[in-house]
Amino acid sequence: IADEQVLKHFPSAVRRKVLRKLYLRPLLKTKLMSGIRQQFVDAFLTSCKVEIFNPGEILIDRGSILSDLFLLVGGIAEVCSP
């Protein structure tokens, strides 16, 4: 079960606190969030969709046009040729 499926039932303040506890440290280690105000980081976390992928699962097909930003919080991603 994904975090999103559980957290959607809670008020936004509770959801934000849970997301901060789970993902704030890894997020702040990224260059993308370096020097960003806490208020923005909280808003960013609140708007994020958390997804968990299994080993070997394809996240993105080569050549796909994306409109989403993916941040790898844990694990290893591999670029494979078709």
Side-chain angles (χ1 to χ4, degrees):
I1 189 163
D3 294 352
E4 193 67 28
Q5 292 173 323
V6 174
L7 293 174
K8 70 181 178 183
H9 300 290
F10 290 94
S12 61
V14 173
R15 183 177 186 273
R16 184 173 48 250
K17 285 181 182 181
V18 171
L19 289 172
R20 286 184 89 222
K21 182 70 174 173
L22 293 173
Y23 303 112
L24 184 62
R25 266 198 195 125
L27 187 61
L28 291 178
K29 289 180 182 178
T30 65
K31 289 182 181 181
L32 179 68
M33 292 294 163
S34 177
I36 300 296
R37 290 184 302 145
Q38 188 63 51
Q39 184 179 5
F40 178 84
V41 175
D42 283 340
F44 182 83
L45 277 173
T46 302
S47 67
C48 286
K49 178 181 174 186
V50 177
E51 293 188 47
I52 299 171
F53 297 96
N54 295 315
E57 190 171 351
I58 296 175
L59 309 181
I60 304 165
D61 289 320
R62 185 179 293 269
S64 296
I65 298 173
L66 303 175
S67 61
D68 298 320
L69 170 68
F70 287 82
L71 295 175
L72 182 64
V73 175
I76 298 170
E78 181 180 351
V79 178
C80 300
S81 297

Coordinates of all heavy atoms in Angstrom, one line a residue:
I1 N 0.9 -1.2 0.0 CA 0.0 0.0 0.0 C 0.9 1.2 0.0 O 1.9 1.3 0.7 CB -1.0 0.0 1.2 CG1 -2.0 1.1 1.1 CG2 -0.2 0.1 2.5 CD1 -3.2 0.9 2.0
A2 N 0.6 2.2 -0.8 CA 1.4 3.4 -1.0 C 1.1 4.4 0.1 O -0.1 4.4 0.6 CB 1.2 4.0 -2.4
D3 N 2.0 5.2 0.4 CA 1.8 6.3 1.4 C 0.6 7.1 1.1 O -0.2 7.5 1.9 CB 3.1 7.2 1.5 CG 4.3 6.5 2.0 OD1 4.2 5.4 2.5 OD2 5.4 7.1 2.0
E4 N 0.5 7.4 -0.2 CA -0.6 8.3 -0.7 C -1.9 7.8 -0.4 O -2.8 8.5 0.0 CB -0.4 8.5 -2.2 CG -1.2 9.6 -2.7 CD -0.8 11.0 -2.3 OE1 0.4 11.2 -1.9 OE2 -1.7 11.9 -2.2
Q5 N -2.1 6.5 -0.5 CA -3.4 5.8 -0.2 C -3.8 6.0 1.2 O -5.0 6.1 1.6 CB -3.4 4.4 -0.6 CG -3.3 4.2 -2.1 CD -3.1 2.7 -2.5 OE1 -2.4 2.0 -1.8 NE2 -3.7 2.3 -3.6
V6 N -2.9 5.9 2.1 CA -3.1 6.1 3.6 C -3.3 7.5 3.9 O -4.3 7.9 4.6 CB -2.0 5.4 4.4 CG1 -2.2 5.7 5.9 CG2 -1.9 4.0 4.1
L7 N -2.4 8.4 3.5 CA -2.4 9.8 3.9 C -3.5 10.6 3.4 O -3.9 11.7 3.9 CB -1.0 10.4 3.5 CG 0.2 9.9 4.2 CD1 1.4 10.5 3.7 CD2 0.1 10.1 5.7
K8 N -4.1 10.2 2.3 CA -5.2 11.0 1.7 C -6.4 11.1 2.6 O -7.3 12.0 2.5 CB -5.7 10.5 0.3 CG -6.4 9.2 0.4 CD -6.7 8.7 -1.0 CE -7.4 7.4 -1.0 NZ -7.7 6.9 -2.3
H9 N -6.5 10.3 3.6 CA -7.6 10.3 4.6 C -7.4 11.2 5.8 O -8.3 11.4 6.6 CB -7.9 8.9 5.1 CG -8.3 7.9 4.0 ND1 -9.5 8.0 3.3 CD2 -7.6 6.9 3.4 CE1 -9.5 7.1 2.4 NE2 -8.3 6.4 2.4
F10 N -6.2 11.8 5.9 CA -5.9 12.6 7.0 C -5.9 14.1 6.6 O -5.7 14.5 5.4 CB -4.5 12.3 7.5 CG -4.4 11.0 8.2 CD1 -4.0 9.9 7.5 CD2 -4.7 10.9 9.5 CE1 -3.9 8.6 8.1 CE2 -4.6 9.6 10.2 CZ -4.3 8.5 9.4
P11 N -6.1 15.0 7.6 CA -6.1 16.4 7.3 C -4.7 16.8 6.8 O -3.7 16.2 7.1 CB -6.4 17.1 8.7 CG -7.0 16.0 9.5 CD -6.5 14.7 9.0
S12 N -4.6 17.9 6.0 CA -3.4 18.3 5.4 C -2.3 18.6 6.4 O -1.1 18.3 6.1 CB -3.6 19.5 4.5 OG -4.1 20.6 5.3
A13 N -2.6 19.1 7.6 CA -1.6 19.4 8.6 C -0.9 18.1 9.1 O 0.3 18.0 9.2 CB -2.2 20.1 9.8
V14 N -1.7 17.0 9.3 CA -1.2 15.7 9.7 C -0.4 15.1 8.6 O 0.7 14.6 8.8 CB -2.3 14.8 10.2 CG1 -1.8 13.4 10.4 CG2 -3.1 15.3 11.4
R15 N -0.9 15.2 7.4 CA -0.3 14.7 6.2 C 1.1 15.3 6.0 O 2.1 14.6 5.8 CB -1.1 14.9 5.0 CG -0.6 14.3 3.7 CD -1.6 14.6 2.5 NE -1.1 14.0 1.3 CZ -0.3 14.5 0.5 NH1 0.2 15.7 0.7 NH2 0.1 13.8 -0.6
R16 N 1.2 16.6 6.2 CA 2.4 17.4 6.1 C 3.5 16.9 7.1 O 4.6 16.7 6.8 CB 2.2 18.9 6.2 CG 3.4 19.7 6.0 CD 3.1 21.2 5.9 NE 2.3 21.7 6.9 CZ 1.0 22.1 6.7 NH1 0.5 22.1 5.5 NH2 0.3 22.6 7.8
K17 N 3.0 16.7 8.4 CA 3.9 16.3 9.4 C 4.5 14.9 9.1 O 5.7 14.6 9.3 CB 3.2 16.3 10.8 CG 3.0 17.7 11.3 CD 2.3 17.6 12.7 CE 2.1 19.0 13.2 NZ 1.5 19.0 14.5
V18 N 3.6 14.0 8.7 CA 4.1 12.6 8.3 C 5.1 12.7 7.2 O 6.2 12.0 7.2 CB 2.9 11.7 8.0 CG1 3.4 10.4 7.5 CG2 2.0 11.5 9.2
L19 N 4.8 13.4 6.1 CA 5.7 13.5 5.0 C 7.0 14.1 5.4 O 8.1 13.7 4.9 CB 5.0 14.3 3.9 CG 3.9 13.6 3.1 CD1 3.2 14.6 2.2 CD2 4.4 12.4 2.4
R20 N 7.0 15.1 6.3 CA 8.2 15.8 6.8 C 9.1 14.7 7.5 O 10.3 14.6 7.3 CB 7.9 16.9 7.7 CG 7.5 18.2 6.9 CD 7.3 19.4 7.8 NE 8.6 20.1 7.8 CZ 9.1 20.6 8.9 NH1 8.5 20.5 10.1 NH2 10.2 21.2 8.8
K21 N 8.4 13.9 8.4 CA 9.2 12.9 9.2 C 9.8 11.9 8.2 O 10.9 11.5 8.5 CB 8.2 12.3 10.1 CG 8.8 11.3 11.0 CD 9.7 11.9 12.1 CE 10.2 10.9 13.0 NZ 11.2 11.4 13.9
L22 N 9.1 11.5 7.2 CA 9.6 10.4 6.3 C 10.6 10.9 5.3 O 11.5 10.2 5.0 CB 8.4 9.8 5.6 CG 7.4 9.0 6.4 CD1 6.2 8.5 5.6 CD2 8.1 7.8 7.0
Y23 N 10.4 12.1 4.8 CA 11.1 12.5 3.6 C 11.9 13.8 3.6 O 12.6 14.1 2.7 CB 10.2 12.6 2.4 CG 9.5 11.3 2.1 CD1 8.1 11.2 2.3 CD2 10.2 10.1 1.7 CE1 7.5 10.0 2.1 CE2 9.5 8.9 1.5 CZ 8.2 8.8 1.7 OH 7.5 7.7 1.5
L24 N 11.8 14.5 4.7 CA 12.5 15.8 4.8 C 14.0 15.7 4.7 O 14.6 16.4 3.9 CB 12.1 16.6 6.1 CG 12.7 18.0 6.2 CD1 12.2 18.8 5.0 CD2 12.3 18.6 7.5
R25 N 14.6 14.8 5.5 CA 16.1 14.7 5.5 C 16.6 14.3 4.1 O 17.5 15.0 3.6 CB 16.6 13.7 6.5 CG 16.9 14.3 7.8 CD 17.8 13.4 8.6 NE 17.7 13.9 10.0 CZ 17.4 13.2 11.0 NH1 17.1 12.0 11.0 NH2 17.4 13.8 12.2
P26 N 16.1 13.3 3.4 CA 16.6 13.0 2.1 C 16.4 14.1 1.1 O 17.2 14.4 0.2 CB 15.9 11.7 1.7 CG 15.2 11.2 2.9 CD 15.1 12.3 3.9
L27 N 15.3 14.8 1.2 CA 14.9 15.8 0.3 C 15.9 17.0 0.5 O 16.3 17.6 -0.5 CB 13.5 16.3 0.5 CG 12.9 17.3 -0.4 CD1 12.9 16.7 -1.8 CD2 11.5 17.7 0.0
L28 N 16.2 17.4 1.7 CA 17.1 18.5 1.9 C 18.6 18.2 1.5 O 19.3 19.1 1.3 CB 17.1 18.9 3.4 CG 15.8 19.5 3.8 CD1 15.8 19.9 5.3 CD2 15.4 20.8 3.0
K29 N 18.9 16.9 1.3 CA 20.2 16.6 0.8 C 20.4 16.8 -0.7 O 21.5 16.7 -1.2 CB 20.5 15.1 1.2 CG 20.7 14.8 2.6 CD 21.0 13.4 2.9 CE 21.2 13.1 4.4 NZ 21.4 11.7 4.6
T30 N 19.3 17.0 -1.4 CA 19.4 17.2 -2.8 C 19.8 18.6 -3.2 O 19.5 19.6 -2.4 CB 18.0 16.9 -3.5 OG1 17.1 17.9 -3.1 CG2 17.5 15.5 -3.2
K31 N 20.5 18.8 -4.3 CA 20.9 20.1 -4.8 C 19.7 20.9 -5.1 O 19.7 22.1 -5.0 CB 21.8 20.0 -6.0 CG 23.2 19.4 -5.7 CD 24.0 19.4 -6.9 CE 25.4 18.8 -6.6 NZ 26.3 18.8 -7.7
L32 N 18.6 20.3 -5.5 CA 17.4 21.0 -5.9 C 16.8 21.8 -4.7 O 16.3 22.9 -4.9 CB 16.3 20.0 -6.3 CG 15.0 20.5 -6.7 CD1 15.1 21.4 -8.0 CD2 14.0 19.4 -6.9
M33 N 17.0 21.3 -3.5 CA 16.4 21.9 -2.3 C 17.4 22.7 -1.5 O 17.1 23.2 -0.4 CB 15.7 20.9 -1.4 CG 14.5 20.3 -2.1 SD 13.2 21.6 -2.2 CE 12.1 20.8 -3.4
S34 N 18.6 22.8 -2.0 CA 19.7 23.5 -1.3 C 19.3 25.0 -1.1 O 19.1 25.7 -2.1 CB 21.0 23.4 -2.0 OG 22.0 24.1 -1.4
G35 N 19.3 25.5 0.1 CA 19.0 26.9 0.4 C 17.6 27.3 0.3 O 17.3 28.5 0.3
I36 N 16.6 26.4 0.2 CA 15.2 26.7 0.0 C 14.6 26.9 1.3 O 14.9 26.2 2.3 CB 14.5 25.6 -0.8 CG1 15.1 25.4 -2.1 CG2 13.0 25.8 -0.9 CD1 15.0 26.5 -3.1
R37 N 13.7 27.9 1.4 CA 12.9 28.2 2.7 C 12.1 27.0 3.1 O 11.5 26.3 2.2 CB 12.1 29.4 2.5 CG 12.9 30.7 2.4 CD 12.0 31.9 2.3 NE 11.0 31.8 1.2 CZ 9.8 32.3 1.2 NH1 9.3 32.9 2.2 NH2 9.0 32.1 0.1
Q38 N 11.9 26.8 4.4 CA 11.1 25.7 4.9 C 9.7 25.7 4.5 O 9.1 24.7 4.2 CB 11.2 25.8 6.5 CG 10.6 24.5 7.1 CD 11.3 23.3 6.8 OE1 12.5 23.2 6.9 NE2 10.6 22.3 6.3
Q39 N 9.1 26.9 4.3 CA 7.7 27.1 3.9 C 7.6 26.5 2.5 O 6.6 25.8 2.2 CB 7.3 28.5 3.9 CG 5.9 28.8 3.5 CD 5.5 30.2 3.6 OE1 6.4 31.1 3.7 NE2 4.3 30.5 3.4
F40 N 8.5 26.7 1.6 CA 8.5 26.1 0.2 C 8.6 24.6 0.3 O 7.9 23.9 -0.4 CB 9.5 26.7 -0.7 CG 9.5 26.1 -2.1 CD1 8.7 26.6 -3.0 CD2 10.4 25.1 -2.4 CE1 8.6 26.0 -4.3 CE2 10.4 24.5 -3.6 CZ 9.5 25.0 -4.6
V41 N 9.5 24.1 1.1 CA 9.8 22.7 1.2 C 8.5 22.0 1.7 O 8.1 21.0 1.2 CB 11.0 22.4 2.1 CG1 11.1 20.9 2.4 CG2 12.2 22.9 1.6
D42 N 7.8 22.6 2.7 CA 6.6 22.0 3.2 C 5.5 22.0 2.1 O 4.8 21.0 1.9 CB 6.0 22.9 4.4 CG 6.8 22.6 5.7 OD1 7.4 21.5 5.8 OD2 6.7 23.4 6.6
A43 N 5.4 23.1 1.3 CA 4.4 23.1 0.2 C 4.8 22.1 -0.8 O 3.9 21.4 -1.4 CB 4.4 24.5 -0.4
F44 N 6.1 21.9 -1.1 CA 6.5 21.0 -2.1 C 6.2 19.5 -1.6 O 5.6 18.8 -2.4 CB 8.0 21.1 -2.3 CG 8.6 20.2 -3.3 CD1 8.6 20.5 -4.6 CD2 9.2 19.0 -2.9 CE1 9.1 19.6 -5.6 CE2 9.8 18.1 -3.8 CZ 9.7 18.4 -5.1
L45 N 6.4 19.2 -0.4 CA 6.1 17.9 0.2 C 4.6 17.6 0.1 O 4.2 16.5 -0.2 CB 6.6 17.8 1.6 CG 8.1 17.4 1.8 CD1 8.4 17.5 3.3 CD2 8.4 16.0 1.3
T46 N 3.8 18.6 0.4 CA 2.4 18.5 0.4 C 1.8 18.2 -0.9 O 0.9 17.4 -1.1 CB 1.7 19.7 1.0 OG1 2.2 20.0 2.3 CG2 0.2 19.6 1.1
S47 N 2.5 18.7 -2.0 CA 2.0 18.5 -3.3 C 2.6 17.2 -4.0 O 2.2 16.8 -5.1 CB 2.3 19.7 -4.2 OG 3.7 19.8 -4.4
C48 N 3.6 16.6 -3.3 CA 4.2 15.4 -3.9 C 3.3 14.2 -3.8 O 2.5 14.0 -2.9 CB 5.5 15.1 -3.1 SG 6.8 16.2 -3.5
K49 N 3.5 13.3 -4.8 CA 2.9 12.0 -4.8 C 4.0 11.0 -4.5 O 5.0 10.9 -5.2 CB 2.2 11.7 -6.1 CG 1.6 10.4 -6.3 CD 1.0 10.2 -7.6 CE 0.5 8.8 -7.8 NZ 0.0 8.6 -9.2
V50 N 3.8 10.2 -3.5 CA 4.8 9.2 -3.1 C 4.5 7.9 -3.8 O 3.4 7.4 -3.8 CB 4.8 9.0 -1.6 CG1 5.8 7.9 -1.2 CG2 5.1 10.3 -0.8
E51 N 5.5 7.3 -4.5 CA 5.3 6.1 -5.1 C 6.5 5.1 -4.7 O 7.6 5.6 -4.5 CB 5.4 6.2 -6.6 CG 4.2 7.0 -7.2 CD 4.1 7.0 -8.7 OE1 4.3 5.9 -9.3 OE2 3.9 8.1 -9.3
I52 N 6.1 3.9 -4.6 CA 7.1 2.9 -4.2 C 7.2 1.9 -5.4 O 6.2 1.4 -5.8 CB 6.7 2.2 -2.9 CG1 6.7 3.2 -1.8 CG2 7.7 1.0 -2.6 CD1 6.1 2.7 -0.5
F53 N 8.4 1.6 -5.8 CA 8.6 0.7 -7.0 C 9.3 -0.5 -6.5 O 10.2 -0.5 -5.6 CB 9.4 1.4 -8.1 CG 8.7 2.6 -8.6 CD1 8.9 3.9 -8.2 CD2 7.7 2.4 -9.6 CE1 8.3 5.0 -8.7 CE2 7.0 3.5 -10.1 CZ 7.3 4.8 -9.7
N54 N 9.0 -1.6 -7.1 CA 9.7 -2.9 -6.8 C 10.9 -3.0 -7.7 O 11.1 -2.5 -8.7 CB 8.7 -4.1 -7.2 CG 7.5 -4.1 -6.3 OD1 7.6 -3.9 -5.0 ND2 6.3 -4.3 -6.8
P55 N 11.9 -3.8 -7.2 CA 13.1 -4.1 -7.9 C 12.8 -4.6 -9.3 O 11.9 -5.4 -9.5 CB 13.9 -5.1 -7.1 CG 13.4 -4.9 -5.7 CD 11.9 -4.5 -5.9
G56 N 13.5 -4.0 -10.3 CA 13.3 -4.5 -11.7 C 12.1 -3.8 -12.4 O 11.9 -4.0 -13.6
E57 N 11.3 -3.0 -11.7 CA 10.2 -2.4 -12.3 C 10.6 -1.2 -13.2 O 11.5 -0.4 -12.8 CB 9.2 -1.9 -11.2 CG 7.9 -1.4 -11.7 CD 6.9 -1.1 -10.5 OE1 7.2 -1.5 -9.4 OE2 5.9 -0.5 -10.8
I58 N 10.0 -1.0 -14.3 CA 10.3 0.1 -15.2 C 9.6 1.3 -14.8 O 8.3 1.3 -14.7 CB 10.0 -0.3 -16.7 CG1 10.8 -1.5 -17.2 CG2 10.2 0.9 -17.6 CD1 10.4 -2.0 -18.5
L59 N 10.3 2.4 -14.6 CA 9.7 3.6 -14.1 C 9.4 4.5 -15.3 O 8.3 5.1 -15.3 CB 10.7 4.4 -13.2 CG 11.3 3.7 -12.0 CD1 12.2 4.6 -11.3 CD2 10.3 3.1 -11.2
I60 N 10.3 4.6 -16.3 CA 10.1 5.5 -17.4 C 10.6 4.8 -18.6 O 11.7 4.2 -18.6 CB 10.9 6.8 -17.2 CG1 10.5 7.5 -15.9 CG2 10.7 7.7 -18.4 CD1 11.5 8.6 -15.5
D61 N 9.9 4.8 -19.7 CA 10.4 4.2 -21.0 C 11.2 5.3 -21.7 O 10.9 6.5 -21.7 CB 9.2 3.9 -21.9 CG 8.4 2.7 -21.4 OD1 9.1 1.7 -20.9 OD2 7.2 2.7 -21.5
R62 N 12.4 4.8 -22.2 CA 13.3 5.7 -23.0 C 12.5 6.4 -24.1 O 11.7 5.8 -24.8 CB 14.4 4.9 -23.5 CG 15.5 5.7 -24.2 CD 16.6 4.9 -24.8 NE 17.4 4.2 -23.7 CZ 18.5 4.8 -23.1 NH1 18.9 5.9 -23.5 NH2 19.1 4.1 -22.2
G63 N 12.7 7.7 -24.2 CA 12.1 8.5 -25.2 C 10.7 9.1 -24.8 O 10.1 9.8 -25.6
S64 N 10.2 8.7 -23.6 CA 8.9 9.2 -23.2 C 9.1 10.7 -22.8 O 10.1 11.2 -22.3 CB 8.5 8.5 -21.9 OG 8.2 7.1 -22.2
I65 N 8.0 11.4 -23.1 CA 7.9 12.9 -22.7 C 7.3 12.9 -21.4 O 6.2 12.4 -21.2 CB 7.2 13.7 -23.8 CG1 7.9 13.6 -25.1 CG2 7.0 15.1 -23.3 CD1 7.1 14.2 -26.3
L66 N 8.0 13.5 -20.4 CA 7.5 13.5 -19.0 C 7.0 14.9 -18.6 O 7.5 15.9 -19.1 CB 8.6 13.1 -18.1 CG 9.2 11.7 -18.4 CD1 10.4 11.5 -17.4 CD2 8.1 10.6 -18.2
S67 N 6.0 14.9 -17.7 CA 5.6 16.2 -17.1 C 5.8 16.1 -15.6 O 5.3 17.0 -14.9 CB 4.1 16.5 -17.5 OG 3.3 15.4 -17.0
D68 N 6.4 15.1 -15.1 CA 6.6 14.9 -13.7 C 8.1 15.0 -13.3 O 8.9 14.7 -14.2 CB 6.1 13.5 -13.2 CG 4.6 13.4 -13.5 OD1 3.8 14.4 -13.2 OD2 4.1 12.3 -13.9
L69 N 8.3 15.3 -12.1 CA 9.7 15.3 -11.6 C 9.8 14.1 -10.6 O 8.9 13.9 -9.8 CB 10.0 16.6 -10.8 CG 11.2 16.6 -10.0 CD1 12.4 16.6 -10.9 CD2 11.2 17.9 -9.1
F70 N 10.8 13.2 -10.8 CA 11.0 12.1 -10.0 C 12.2 12.3 -9.1 O 13.3 12.7 -9.6 CB 11.3 10.8 -10.8 CG 10.1 10.3 -11.5 CD1 9.7 10.8 -12.7 CD2 9.4 9.2 -11.0 CE1 8.6 10.3 -13.4 CE2 8.2 8.7 -11.6 CZ 7.8 9.3 -12.8
L71 N 12.0 12.1 -7.8 CA 13.1 12.2 -6.8 C 13.3 10.8 -6.2 O 12.4 10.3 -5.6 CB 12.9 13.3 -5.7 CG 12.7 14.7 -6.2 CD1 12.3 15.6 -5.0 CD2 14.1 15.2 -6.8
L72 N 14.5 10.3 -6.3 CA 14.8 9.0 -5.8 C 15.2 9.2 -4.3 O 16.2 9.8 -4.0 CB 15.9 8.3 -6.6 CG 16.3 6.9 -6.1 CD1 15.1 6.0 -6.3 CD2 17.5 6.5 -6.9
V73 N 14.4 8.7 -3.4 CA 14.7 8.9 -2.0 C 15.5 7.8 -1.4 O 16.4 8.0 -0.6 CB 13.4 9.0 -1.2 CG1 13.6 9.1 0.3 CG2 12.6 10.2 -1.6
G74 N 15.4 6.6 -2.0 CA 16.2 5.5 -1.5 C 16.2 4.4 -2.6 O 15.4 4.4 -3.5
G75 N 17.3 3.6 -2.6 CA 17.4 2.6 -3.5 C 18.3 3.0 -4.7 O 19.1 4.0 -4.6
I76 N 18.3 2.2 -5.8 CA 19.1 2.4 -6.9 C 18.3 2.4 -8.2 O 17.4 1.5 -8.3 CB 20.2 1.3 -7.0 CG1 21.1 1.3 -5.8 CG2 21.0 1.4 -8.3 CD1 22.0 0.1 -5.7
A77 N 18.5 3.4 -9.1 CA 17.8 3.4 -10.4 C 18.9 3.1 -11.4 O 20.0 3.5 -11.3 CB 17.2 4.7 -10.6
E78 N 18.5 2.3 -12.4 CA 19.4 1.9 -13.5 C 18.8 2.3 -14.8 O 17.6 2.2 -15.0 CB 19.6 0.4 -13.4 CG 20.5 -0.2 -14.5 CD 20.6 -1.7 -14.4 OE1 20.1 -2.3 -13.4 OE2 21.2 -2.3 -15.3
V79 N 19.7 2.9 -15.6 CA 19.3 3.3 -17.0 C 19.6 2.1 -17.9 O 20.7 1.6 -18.0 CB 20.0 4.5 -17.5 CG1 19.6 4.9 -18.9 CG2 19.7 5.7 -16.6
C80 N 18.5 1.6 -18.5 CA 18.7 0.4 -19.4 C 18.3 0.7 -20.8 O 17.4 1.5 -21.1 CB 17.8 -0.8 -18.9 SG 18.1 -1.3 -17.2
S81 N 19.0 0.1 -21.8 CA 18.6 0.3 -23.2 C 17.6 -0.8 -23.5 O 17.7 -1.9 -23.0 CB 19.8 0.1 -24.1 OG 20.8 1.1 -23.8
P82 N 16.6 -0.5 -24.4 CA 15.6 -1.5 -24.8 C 16.2 -2.6 -25.6 O 17.2 -2.7 -26.1 CB 14.6 -0.7 -25.6 CG 15.3 0.6 -26.0 CD 16.5 0.8 -25.1

